[in-house]
Amino acid sequence: MTNKKVGPPKKTYSESILKQIIYEYKSYEKPNGNISYSSVWNYAKNIWYEAQKDKDFASNELNDLKKYTSEDLWRKNNRKTGEPNPGKGLIDDTNKIKGYFITDSKNKKQQIPNVEDTVYKLHSKEDIIESLKPLEKLCLDFIEKESVLSAEMVKLKADLEYYKNKSEKQEEAIFQLARYGRSNEGLLKNVLNTGTSKSKLVADALENIFINPMEFLYEENKNEAISENVINIAERKKNLTDTYGL
């Protein structure tokens, strides 16, 4: 019968303790750029662990914390899997360039690099340029979009001014027509119904009020598409005819 070799129990590590060690190291050393595996290991062994001895840990708890001072934990890969050991893996994550995600108007996500991380954590000019390229492209895209939107805004302002002026002319024309109708009721009815008499005042008033005055006067049942920017012709006709009996 072959006796199976029993190895030491597999060590497990608390991710929160590993992160705490890295956080305390960064607060203590204040490194610029990437942090090295050796520096974190030395900190865990010589400063962090020594500080734990001054706390109220039982001897077995303190012995368990000693495993966080292992060189393999912070500097080497797992021999079986080839993957970084937990401490080394967290250092790798810490050293990664952080970025931000934004969502554009088309619901497309874009990652924007953290400039400070890029400058401090990358060493070659080529890597820094490559990392910051998306930021440059985003700025150029925003400038182009801003130019297009500015042009559209100018056009909208011009359209608004045009329809404002048109509305004021229509309002004045209505008052002119109403005043003329009160003083020349018979003549106004004759002009509207037969067109036998010509009056510049009435013609001007009608042209200012309506897109096509003849449709207003003679096509009672015609359905037409009315622009959102133009006051409803049928409604104006009804108001005038109700008021003046035209």
Side-chain angles (χ1 to χ4, degrees), residues 31-142:
N32 284 329
N34 290 336
I35 59 177
S36 68
Y37 307 129
S38 295
S39 59
V40 178
W41 169 52
N42 285 321
Y43 176 83
K45 178 177 61 173
N46 299 317
I47 298 177
W48 177 81
Y49 182 69
E50 292 301 317
Q52 308 312 305
K53 293 180 180 179
D54 296 332
K55 299 179 181 178
D56 296 329
F57 285 116
S59 58
N60 63 321
E61 292 176 317
L62 193 60
N63 286 336
D64 187 58
L65 292 177
K66 191 172 180 60
K67 66 187 178 183
Y68 292 94
T69 65
S70 164
E71 181 180 8
D72 287 358
L73 172 66
W74 298 105
R75 297 188 60 191
K76 297 182 180 180
N77 295 337
N78 186 286
R79 294 177 181 176
K80 292 183 178 179
T81 65
E83 296 294 322
N85 282 322
K88 184 181 179 184
L90 281 177
I91 292 175
D92 290 340
D93 287 341
T94 302
N95 285 335
K96 286 180 180 177
I97 303 296
K98 302 299 187 294
Y100 313 97
F101 285 93
I102 62 171
T103 303
D104 62 18
S105 58
K106 296 181 180 179
N107 207 31
K108 181 181 177 182
K109 282 189 175 181
Q110 298 186 62
Q111 185 175 11
I112 307 304
N114 182 297
V115 175
E116 186 174 327
D117 263 10
T118 299
V119 172
Y120 283 121
K121 292 181 179 180
L122 298 179
H123 301 290
S124 74
K125 292 181 180 179
E126 290 75 14
D127 289 342
I128 294 174
I129 291 172
E130 185 65 26
S131 180
L132 294 180
K133 274 291 184 182
L135 188 59
E136 178 185 55
K137 182 178 183 302
L138 182 68
C139 290
L140 293 175
D141 288 345
F142 277 157

Side-chain angles (χ1 to χ4, degrees), residues 142-156:
F142 277 157
I143 291 172
E144 184 178 349
K145 289 178 181 177
E146 191 274 338
S147 177
V148 172
L149 290 174
S150 294
E152 290 179 355
M153 185 177 296
V154 170
K155 184 179 182 303
L156 288 173

